[in-house]
Amino acid sequence: MEAAKELGQRIRSLRKLRKVSLKNLAKLLKVDPAHVSRIESGKVPPSAKLLDRIAKVLHTRREELHVLAGSLPKDVARIFAEHPKEAVAVVRKSFKVYRIPEPHGPLTPSDETEQGSYRAFRLIDLFAGAGGFSLGFARSGIFRSVFANDFDPWSVKTYNANFGEHCVAGDINELLARKDFVIPAGDVVIGGPPCQGFSLLNKQRATDSRKQLWVAFMEVVKRVRPLAYVMENVSELLASFEFQQIRKMSENLGYKVVADVLNAADYGVPERRKRAIVVASRVGVPQLPKPTHADPAKKGSLFASGLLPWESVRRGIGDLPVPEGTEIRVGKADPPMDLHFGRTPTKESLIRYKCIPEGGNRFDLQRKRPDLTPGCWIRKKSGGTDLFGRLWWDRPAFTIRTEFFKPEKGRYLHPAQHRPITHREAARLQSFPDDFIFHGTKIAVAMQIGNAVPPILAQRIAESLAATLDSGLAVESQVFAAAS
């Protein structure tokens, strides 16, 4: 019962920190107040589902509460089972509890929420898409979305279904040009201006107008004056002239800037996805998150460095059954099956699929069935090793793009079954939870999944940024108190 008492004490302290009465918490959880009282006193443990709801209502990390309840996350439990001595040594050497920041000073005035009155970092998400970036920040337990924008109506519907009706549809430049448009106050601005203008896959990138959408992002920063901002884009951004302009403009506005290319697999996402991350803050020195995972091929140094091995495709999608049907069933079937549907390949396509072994690619098809290999592939003697590729079970996926349902576009064949990965599998490999609601056609949902910032990577960024803001605000408060 010691675990139940410790868990109950933590829930009570979080409730008081958030200034939520026991009665109101019970109302939000849709349970009897007496049951909440018994949980807080350690007399009864909450169910796993109720624990998840408590974490959501009190804006804290569900992993923390589950650990206190005595149930380790699956990836951590696996590591302890496979390497008990090494894992325990790492925990004892480097264990620290991430502190949820206390309500801070006048830079972030109190926000009224349905949970009560407390101060949280208010989040503005631009070019928000489905909301993968916002989801990661929200799951840190420290940020609350207050405004979002995207040009795509389906993405806006998806965002609002998951975060509340505050995502506005429309061209951000047109919104900014309107005299009646007012952006709400925010502490942090995040977003990924469309990256096609910088991508090496874009042959017209030198003159692509989408390279200038960062200007709208920075205009919002200029108007809102947030404590910090985070920008995500393709790796090529950091070598561009535009990035030098972004850095110069940020420094002129009083922000300190750090930027680097992060690999999502290094932060627990079962996908090798490299993206440029720019973090700027005006209340402290920003830091990029430290990796939590690493390539298991280097496992000799993993535990010495306190790192877990990369997550794999098997751990991401290995428990899913064979897909059913060929259509989206959101609202008609429970997750994960609502997005776990197949296609109707031709007989020729099936033969091609069967030529590709696990980890194989178009060269295997060319070797086995040159008569079924497109001529352009035969003429291309090098490069394109991911085209018509099959995933490995025990490695992370490669970048999930918007056309993951087309094997000719990349390494998107299922590791064992003769088919491309499904929308649900792609969403999981991007680290979206099954209960995240997507709206739209099959193509629209695929675009939302492929364009998203992986939520787990976003959460690691959010936690690192929260620590920067927390310490920066504390220093400012001390300076203010001394001056007074």
Side-chain angles (χ1 to χ4, degrees), residues 108-371:
T108 53
S110 180
D111 293 319
E112 291 293 331
T113 73
E114 64 175 355
Q115 284 81 32
S117 176
Y118 67 89
R119 292 177 173 88
F121 292 119
R122 297 160 299 182
L123 193 69
I124 292 174
D125 192 345
L126 306 176
F127 312 99
F133 223 163
S134 285
L135 179 60
F137 271 72
R139 293 186 77 173
S140 73
I142 306 160
F143 297 85
R144 183 172 65 85
S145 176
V146 296
F147 176 81
N149 165 254
D150 197 86
F151 184 80
D152 175 51
W154 280 123
S155 295
V156 171
K157 187 172 182 179
T158 292
Y159 192 100
N160 286 336
N162 291 279
F163 301 100
E165 298 289 331
H166 58 264
C167 186
V168 177
D171 186 321
I172 186 63
N173 286 305
E174 293 179 3
L175 291 175
L176 292 172
R178 282 169 38 186
K179 293 182 179 180
D180 63 337
F181 176 68
V182 178
I183 306 172
D187 300 306
V188 176
V189 174
I190 62 174
C195 60
Q196 293 89 339
F198 297 102
S199 175
L200 292 176
L201 297 175
N202 180 8
K203 303 304 181 184
Q204 284 79 42
R205 61 184 180 276
T207 57
D208 196 318
S209 61
R210 288 171 294 187
K211 292 177 71 175
Q212 301 304 316
L213 285 171
W214 66 267
V215 176
F217 182 96
M218 291 305 299
E219 175 62 23
V220 173
V221 170
K222 184 177 178 181
R223 293 188 189 187
V224 175
R225 289 286 291 164
L227 302 176
Y229 76 75
V230 183
M231 184 185 294
E232 177 266 356
N233 217 292
V234 292
S235 303
E236 289 76 23
L237 169 71
L238 300 188
S240 70
F241 172 71
E242 287 80 4
F243 175 63
Q244 300 307 317
Q245 293 178 294
I246 291 170
R247 180 187 289 276
K248 182 177 180 180
M249 184 180 295
S250 299
E251 292 173 347
N252 288 340
L253 290 172
Y255 291 90
K256 296 181 177 67
V257 179
V258 295
D260 204 351
V261 175
L262 304 186
N263 185 349
D266 290 340
Y267 299 89
V269 180
E271 173 192 14
R272 294 175 63 179
R273 186 187 189 93
K274 293 183 178 180
R275 285 294 186 271
I277 301 296
V278 182
V279 181
S281 173
R282 61 182 180 87
V283 295
V285 180
Q287 302 288 331
L288 292 168
K290 294 181 179 179
T292 56
H293 295 64
D295 186 348
K298 304 172 183 176
K299 61 184 178 182
S301 62
L302 280 182
F303 287 107
S305 304
L307 299 173
L308 298 174
W310 276 345
E311 290 298 330
S312 67
V313 169
R314 188 189 304 277
R315 290 193 291 274
I317 67 174
D319 64 320
L320 289 171
V322 174
E324 295 180 4
T326 58
E327 298 297 330
I328 286 180
R329 298 187 298 280
V330 173
K332 299 177 182 179
D334 293 333
M337 300 308 294
D338 54 346
L339 292 181
H340 194 49
F341 57 89
R343 303 184 74 194
T344 52
T346 64
K347 182 179 179 181
E348 188 177 74
S349 292
L350 278 175
I351 295 173
R352 286 173 171 168
Y353 296 165
K354 292 177 180 179
C355 290
I356 312 299
E358 181 180 348
N361 55 32
R362 67 183 178 92
F363 292 108
D364 293 285
L365 175 62
Q366 181 177 339
R367 177 171 51 82
K368 296 178 181 179
R369 292 297 302 267
D371 57 311

Side-chain angles (χ1 to χ4, degrees), residues 22-87:
L22 188 147
K23 184 178 180 180
N24 284 341
L25 177 59
K27 183 178 180 180
L28 290 166
L29 296 173
K30 298 180 181 179
V31 298
D32 190 277
H35 186 53
V36 176
S37 179
R38 288 193 292 271
I39 290 173
E40 289 191 351
S41 62
K43 294 179 180 179
V44 296
S47 66
K49 288 185 177 180
L50 181 57
L51 203 58
D52 286 346
R53 295 210 304 274
I54 291 172
K56 185 174 182 180
V57 167
L58 296 181
H59 284 231
T60 193
R61 292 183 294 173
R62 60 187 296 275
E63 294 89 350
E64 176 193 1
L65 297 188
H66 278 280
V67 168
L68 290 175
S71 57
L72 290 174
K74 290 182 179 179
D75 58 338
V76 177
R78 175 180 55 79
I79 294 301
F80 270 83
E82 294 176 359
H83 310 277
K85 291 183 179 179
E86 296 91 339

